[in-house]
Amino acid sequence: MKKKKILLNFLLFGFILGVYEGKVALWKDHQKNPIKVIPYQVSMLPEADQKALEKGIKIDSLAQLHKMLEDYLS
């Protein structure tokens, strides 16, 4: 049941991948606090990726989220 709720949230609202306290984080659209902080320092990424995350990257699907996290964390 929980997976369906998470998937429904993605389909209805989308998410933003960005920076929170120097780490990669995920927000549900229009929320003040992240729903998940990934323990990976943004400063370890190339400058272009850091800038993109600081602006916020709109995530529209689970596949896109997995791809972005794989790219950043590998």
Side-chain angles (χ1 to χ4, degrees):
M1 182 76 159
K2 189 171 184 168
K3 276 188 173 183
K4 286 183 181 180
K5 184 176 181 181
I6 291 170
L7 181 57
L8 183 61
N9 282 341
F10 269 101
L11 294 174
L12 292 177
F13 302 107
F15 285 77
I16 302 291
L17 197 60
V19 179
Y20 182 78
E21 295 181 351
K23 297 181 179 97
V24 177
L26 184 68
W27 282 262
K28 193 177 341 181
D29 275 354
H30 310 295
Q31 292 207 344
K32 184 177 178 179
N33 295 318
I35 59 169
K36 178 74 176 169
V37 177
I38 295 110
Y40 189 84
Q41 293 294 322
V42 173
S43 62
M44 302 297 291
L45 296 169
E47 188 174 335
D49 292 338
Q50 290 180 41
K51 288 180 180 182
L53 284 167
E54 287 170 5
K55 289 181 181 180
I57 301 168
K58 179 124 172 95
I59 304 293
D60 295 315
S61 71
L62 288 172
Q64 182 185 10
L65 175 61
H66 288 289
K67 172 85 171 97
M68 297 292 292
L69 290 176
E70 184 178 295
D71 288 349
Y72 287 140
L73 305 179
S74 60

